[in-house]
């Protein structure tokens, strides 16, 4: 299921002293968010680490390492540089648009 996330990107100030268009907070629609980390299945209990999430955003989404991301009302930070699966590839089907993968984490550090 896809959802909308908010990326609080860095606001870039132009030479005239005003913020450049496209910088600052923006909403990204159609992002698939899933838990990342190790899950261990014991005989009775299931434990999982949900302090990190993996996001698959639509092709062409610009996210930088260290950006603040809000998912379901909780604040995360982009932990690893995003990887755009569509960059430099020619898909077999012309309408295929691979997603941008990035990992977000909560907590300090």
């Amino acid at each position: 299921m896809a959802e909308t996330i908010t990326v609080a990107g860095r606001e870039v100030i132009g030479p005239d002293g005003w913020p450049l268009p496209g910088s600052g907070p923006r909403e990204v629609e159609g992002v698939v968010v899933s838990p990342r980390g190790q899950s261990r299945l014991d005989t009775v209990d299931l434990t999982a680490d949900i302090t990190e999430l993996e996001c698959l955003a639509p092709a062409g989404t610009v996210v930088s390492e260290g950006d603040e991301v809000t998912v379901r009302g909780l604040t995360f930070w982009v932990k690893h540089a995003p990887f755009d699966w569509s960059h430099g590839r020619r898909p077999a089907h012309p309408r295929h648009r691979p997603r941008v993968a990035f990992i977000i984490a909560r907590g300090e550090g």
Side-chain angles (χ1 to χ4, degrees):
M1 184 169 129
E3 55 188 275
T4 302
I5 66 171
T6 303
V7 179
R10 294 174 184 91
E11 193 170 60
V12 180
I13 305 298
D16 59 355
W18 292 95
L20 294 176
S23 66
R26 63 192 181 284
E27 288 190 349
V28 180
E29 296 179 356
V31 179
V32 177
V33 180
S34 60
R36 181 179 185 273
Q38 298 292 327
S39 295
R40 189 179 74 212
L41 182 61
D42 292 335
T43 55
V44 187
D45 299 324
L46 175 67
T47 59
D49 176 18
I50 55 169
T51 58
E52 290 186 359
L53 300 175
E54 183 175 17
C55 296
L56 298 172
T61 302
V62 178
V63 179
S64 302
E65 189 171 346
D67 280 354
E68 185 178 300
V69 178
T70 304
V71 178
R72 300 176 192 162
L74 298 174
T75 303
F76 294 83
W77 287 268
V78 178
K79 185 175 180 180
H80 295 288
F83 184 76
D84 191 349
W85 289 97
S86 66
H87 188 69
R89 291 180 168 81
R90 194 171 121 209
H93 190 280
R95 298 183 85 164
H96 179 65
R97 302 280 316 254
R99 296 180 170 265
V100 176
F102 58 96
I103 298 168
I104 56 177
R106 270 184 74 75
E108 296 181 24

